[in-house]
Amino acid sequence: MIDVDLIKKLVDIVSYSNIEELRVGDRDIKITIKKFSSGKVYRAQDISKEAETPQESPRSEEKGEEVVYITSPIVGTFYRAPNPDAPPFIDINDEVKIGQTVCIIEAMKLMNEVKSDYNGIIRKILVENGEPVEYGQPLFLLEPTGENA
Amino acid sequence: MIDVDLIKKLVDIVSYSNIEELRVGDRDIKITIKKFSSGKVYRAQDISKEAETPQESPRSEEKGEEVVYITSPIVGTFYRAPNPDAPPFIDINDEVKIGQTVCIIEAMKLMNEVKSDYNGIIRKILVENGEPVEYGQPLFLLEPTGENA
Amino acid sequence: MFRKILIANRGEIALRIIRACKLLGIKTVLVFSEADRYSLGVKHADEAYCIGPPQSSKSYLNIPNIIAAAEISGADAIHPGYGFLAENADFAEVCESCGIKFIGPSSRVISLMGDKIAARKVMYEAGVPVIPGTFEPVEAEKSALSVAKEFGFPLIIKAAGGGGGRGMRLVRDENELKGALMVAKSEAEAAFNNGSVYMEKYIEGARHIEVQVLGDGRGNVVHFFERDCSIQRRHQKLIEESPATGIPQRVKEKILESAVIGAKAINYESAGTLEFLVDENDNFYFMEMNTRIQVEHPVTEMVTGHDLVKYQILVAGEESLPIKQEDIVQRGHAIECRINAEDPYNSFLPSTGTLKLFSLPGGPGIRIDTAIYNEIEITSYYDSLIAKLISWGLNRDDAIARMRNALGEFLIEGLKTTIPLYLQIMDDPEYISGNISINFLEERGFLNEGRSERRYLS
Amino acid sequence: MFRKILIANRGEIALRIIRACKLLGIKTVLVFSEADRYSLGVKHADEAYCIGPPQSSKSYLNIPNIIAAAEISGADAIHPGYGFLAENADFAEVCESCGIKFIGPSSRVISLMGDKIAARKVMYEAGVPVIPGTFEPVEAEKSALSVAKEFGFPLIIKAAGGGGGRGMRLVRDENELKGALMVAKSEAEAAFNNGSVYMEKYIEGARHIEVQVLGDGRGNVVHFFERDCSIQRRHQKLIEESPATGIPQRVKEKILESAVIGAKAINYESAGTLEFLVDENDNFYFMEMNTRIQVEHPVTEMVTGHDLVKYQILVAGEESLPIKQEDIVQRGHAIECRINAEDPYNSFLPSTGTLKLFSLPGGPGIRIDTAIYNEIEITSYYDSLIAKLISWGLNRDDAIARMRNALGEFLIEGLKTTIPLYLQIMDDPEYISGNISINFLEERGFLNEGRSERRYLS
């Protein structure tokens, strides 16, 4: 049984202390308390900035399901369609195949097609049309289907 | 059962200490205390210097027996006897009483008697005759006997 | 020259003195309290001795233990830094009687300048302009009233025994006089063990200008130009700069000349500072003299290139000036911000805790004097200064721009500091234009209404 | 003036450029590799974009991604720092064609000075003394032999395509000539994609003296005096100082004059450095020109007080010199030690790992340019420079004493660094007396016999 009150108390204890890690066991007690393992360097104002940057890892767990990301291979401006009047290459819930063009990234006046490395279904589009993207930035979240080499 | 008060006490112990890790066991006790795997700042040449400085705590565990230290209340030069021709105030295995003079510390040409705060038996003399001592430096290690207020 | 110097201080100034000693090849002994066992000073000194528990009264003010540490280590001189025993004539006298050179002026001069009334008198007699006021202690309301009639309101009542705002009262009219006199006397008695007070005319909208001098104790004195320390809160300096801006060159020269005259009049030895008030019409008045190295000495070092602590030691050891006046030349502009562990938005309440230090500023024109390092504990035992950040530029605008950037480069956590306040000041148009006075922080709205904000004149 | 500058670099020089931009009120965009996401530069820049994986070839040398980052951020200029793309004429040309100002000389001048043979010729024709040698590539053994007969042994074969010791061979006699020529050519081909080599007389016991210049691209050039960078290992500078010591004033003046003549001859724009060798008889010879800001520029800044990176930006933005020659004045002496993550007692093997930083030096006369902070990981992707420590004093002895002390104040763990070597050098009587040459480290026994110690001329 999970005792919420207990957890809250433990969280408070850690929050208002100088420790960084607390492990609690049971079946005749096992407690580990750690103070400052190291810590990354953030100023307060950086934390939000950092939080905006999605993880670069192309594979990541979300809600227990396996998902993958298509990330930007270059720096430039993200476009969902080949030109302003055309329909987007793909939309949410579309199925994509390996090698299929999913978007265009414009850089130095060149239109660079980005192709999917996965078979799967588009579950999220992570960048607005016309927005700048950096190298490695996740563009689409896919639920993989079938074979993914 | 997990005892929140116990945990809070342990957290306080860690927070307001110089240790970095505390592990508490059970089933006939298992305690691990780690002091600064990282935090403290020593250059290589400092480590020996630091190692020479005994702990200031008047009470400390050693080989499972309880021992106490008589520490220097002032800065000066340590003398075991009232003058060079006299026998030392006390020697190893002597019994001392609270208030008994155990040594002299010379400072600014004045001889300051140091008296024992404990009843006990002298087990170690930690400073050589004529050596300088700093404030709080352990001078004698005692095995306490009888009543120690 | 000295073989070994004992440093009777802590924090950044202890490190500063160690650096000067190493420049001169002199060994260092640092004394420390139990709270400072893991300080950088202890790490960098050649020897270090614990002299007592954390409380200053039992450690850094413990004269017998400090002298004993000098004896057992064989130190032949003691540098007192600033604060603690730096202006304690008794300590200087004990050093003298023990054959240990006190790096500073003689106990006689410390006493003389420590008595603010006597100091006023000496300076006045030497021809240095002093603030209009009394040259004797003011005892009773009746004599206070006659003084008030002579000089007019507003007036300030000050303690003869010391500075820093304690025992000080601004009196705007006759009704306030009696009460202010009583409170000032009892505050002075409590703070300095000396209930004597004196009265001065209050100088409106004044700037705090001080002159760094160095004397050899034989009547030879050089100056290192002036500092403007007007940015204060309750007589605590927060920002200092050199040169002073907005004061005509001829007035500056008069002030420098007066400072040298004053220091010569007392055969001053060592580094010292004569503090002046400069009013809106550029009249200037001697206020008091500090007979020690000051917190803000780095701005002078940045501008002149000279090492004041080194010179302090050289003068003490060789009894002659290591430098001629014509070799002291200003270049550019320097600003110091005192980074205090205080909450500038909550009555400057001291902030304590374990500091997480990630990164300190650096690069061109930036100097930091600090003893902080990652995971050091900032306690309430000592003053709240954790770092001095000094910026330099070829002109004041560059010094301000570099200061602004360097303040932003501080990456520390775990404590509130005065950094956010300084960032605001560096963007303040009045500060940037050099339009500052000792009322700057109040007038520009940088001081919140803290609960004890008005305890002292501010 | 520029509104926003993109910085195409990393580490301390990225921070250095950010500081100069902040001084000028210009916004900054930093590009970074995945290895540098948590760098101080990323924290302190106004904007930052990831441009590739850790390998330089895919990030800091990735021209399309860097230009794209300038486009999406709206940067109107790019500062290349040193290394990476700083002397890449193609990159400068791409910037020019995209309407982004490259902060440095034109691609034409970069190309010209990048071709070491062409540079020799231009300087020779301008009247700058060059090392006796060839003005054309040396192709075959036969022509090499005739050159050798003209100038005599020992000789050096150098690559036309670049510096830094690669493609360089010392030839002591005729027997070594053929083999050395072949090896040098193939090494030059591999390193610079250009197998052209040329030959110069070897100057015995020379000192490396270089002159910092700043030009406006219209024939106006000022110099910021000289630096002595003789303390080198395999043509990698380790310690630099300004002014040079032990060279007669009239010779220094000739060198400075030659440097200005040379820079004017190519209508040089931006900050640049002309490198000279000075032999034991105080003859001096132009070696090559670096068309970028250099690692060692801080020693010049400490001595002159001028901000070279600021001036680089001003010249690029305003196309005129921000300073007159007569306003550039030397004060005191500055020394820089390059703190590298290398084991000086094991062939300078790079040291990688997580750095634990406790405390960096500070106080009077100390400047640090570094991007390290506690727990940062030092990888093998980039060069091993982790910090530049610069000391300044009114004279060279004070600068040395402060450097010695500051080196001792470094409290870092987790990596081997060159600090212990520098501590030894600061105590070396020959170094202290200023008796240095490019063979100093070898002659004074500071180099162990490392396994690849003799791969390059040393």
Side-chain angles (χ1 to χ4, degrees), chain D residues 182-455:
Chain D
M182 276 173 56
V183 176
K185 282 179 77 70
S186 64
E187 220 172 83
E189 180 69 41
F192 308 111
N193 212 14
N194 174 1
S196 291
V197 297
Y198 61 106
M199 288 169 70
E200 284 178 352
K201 193 165 169 49
Y202 177 66
I203 312 293
E204 305 271 2
R207 306 176 71 139
H208 175 120
I209 305 293
E210 60 185 34
V211 180
Q212 176 71 56
V213 297
L214 181 77
D216 65 358
R218 300 165 178 212
N220 301 305
V221 173
V222 291
H223 70 80
F224 294 77
F225 299 96
E226 78 287 357
R227 295 185 285 259
D228 184 323
C229 310
S230 298
I231 310 288
Q232 305 182 351
R233 175 183 164 271
R234 295 192 198 165
H235 300 277
Q236 301 296 317
K237 296 164 189 165
L238 293 178
I239 301 178
E240 301 99 346
E241 58 187 281
S242 183
T245 183
I247 291 177
Q249 188 57 31
R250 57 167 182 83
V251 177
K252 279 194 206 175
E253 279 163 17
K254 283 267 180 207
I255 298 173
L256 298 174
E257 193 189 320
S258 293
V260 171
I261 288 170
K264 281 183 174 172
I266 55 173
N267 277 336
Y268 191 75
E269 176 188 331
S270 195
T273 301
L274 292 96
E275 298 188 329
F276 296 87
L277 285 182
V278 180
D279 72 14
E280 288 161 326
N281 300 316
D282 294 328
N283 299 306
F284 65 92
Y285 310 96
F286 170 81
M287 225 183 345
E288 62 177 63
M289 181 171 188
N290 295 321
T291 56
R292 53 170 157 83
I293 193 75
Q294 283 187 287
V295 176
E296 61 269 28
H297 76 276
V299 293
T300 301
E301 294 184 330
M302 293 293 268
V303 168
T304 65
H306 292 283
D307 189 314
L308 294 170
V309 182
K310 171 183 164 181
Y311 288 170
Q312 249 190 325
I313 296 167
L314 285 178
V315 162
E318 294 175 355
E319 294 168 15
S320 68
L321 290 180
I323 185 80
K324 292 197 213 76
Q325 185 66 58
E326 60 262 35
D327 294 327
I328 305 169
V329 181
Q330 292 171 300
R331 178 196 263 187
H333 197 99
I335 301 173
E336 173 180 280
C337 287
R338 299 189 188 189
I339 314 295
N340 294 330
E342 295 171 356
D343 182 354
Y345 304 123
N346 185 15
S347 306
F348 290 81
L349 223 62
S351 177
T352 59
T354 299
L355 182 137
K356 302 196 96 173
L357 185 152
F358 301 114
S359 181
L360 291 174
I366 295 302
R367 166 176 169 184
I368 303 186
D369 281 38
T370 185
I372 61 172
Y373 59 85
N374 193 23
E375 308 261 332
I376 199 174
E377 198 189 343
I378 306 298
T379 67
S380 57
Y381 291 116
Y382 314 112
D383 83 26
S384 59
L385 181 76
I386 58 169
K388 304 191 313 203
L389 174 60
I390 305 104
S391 73
W392 178 90
L394 272 178
N395 54 57
R396 190 168 182 266
D397 286 345
D398 278 4
I400 290 174
R402 281 182 173 154
M403 177 59 79
R404 187 188 293 122
N405 182 41
L407 288 164
E409 283 185 12
F410 260 94
L411 299 186
I412 59 177
E413 279 175 16
L415 285 178
K416 303 243 186 215
T417 75
T418 44
I419 291 173
L421 171 67
Y422 297 139
L423 278 166
Q424 285 186 292
I425 294 173
M426 292 301 137
D427 282 335
D428 183 85
E430 294 294 319
Y431 179 77
I432 292 169
S433 71
N435 190 6
I436 53 180
S437 79
I438 53 173
N439 302 319
F440 174 84
L441 289 182
E442 200 173 38
E443 285 174 358
R444 298 297 297 162
F446 285 117
L447 297 179
N448 300 24
E449 287 304 312
R451 50 182 170 76
S452 57
E453 204 53 47
R454 306 202 155 270
R455 254 191 76 202

Side-chain angles (χ1 to χ4, degrees), chain A residues 1 16 24 34 49 59 64 75 79 88-89 98 125:
Chain A
M1 260 306 288
Y16 301 112
V24 184
K34 284 191 184 178
K49 189 172 159 189
R59 285 167 192 279
V75 181
Y79 292 111
F89 291 105
I98 290 175
I125 300 169

Side-chain angles (χ1 to χ4, degrees), chain B residues 41 43 53 75 108 134-135, chain C residues 37 43 50 52 65 68 71:
Chain B
V41 179
R43 285 172 301 172
T53 312
V75 181
M108 298 177 74
E134 64 178 0
Y135 172 84
Chain C
R37 185 173 292 278
K43 284 176 217 311
C50 183
N65 276 1
E71 287 177 348

Side-chain angles (χ1 to χ4, degrees), chain A residues 135, chain D residues 32-35 50-56 58-60 62 382:
Chain A
Y135 171 86
Chain D
F32 62 93
S33 81
E34 286 176 336
C50 183
I51 51 164
Q55 300 90 309
S56 301
K58 297 179 179 170
S59 50
Y60 295 107
N62 185 333
Y382 314 112

Side-chain angles (χ1 to χ4, degrees), chain C residues 302-314:
Chain C
M302 293 292 269
V303 167
T304 64
H306 292 283
D307 189 314
L308 295 169
V309 182
K310 171 183 163 181
Y311 288 170
Q312 247 191 327
I313 296 168
L314 284 178

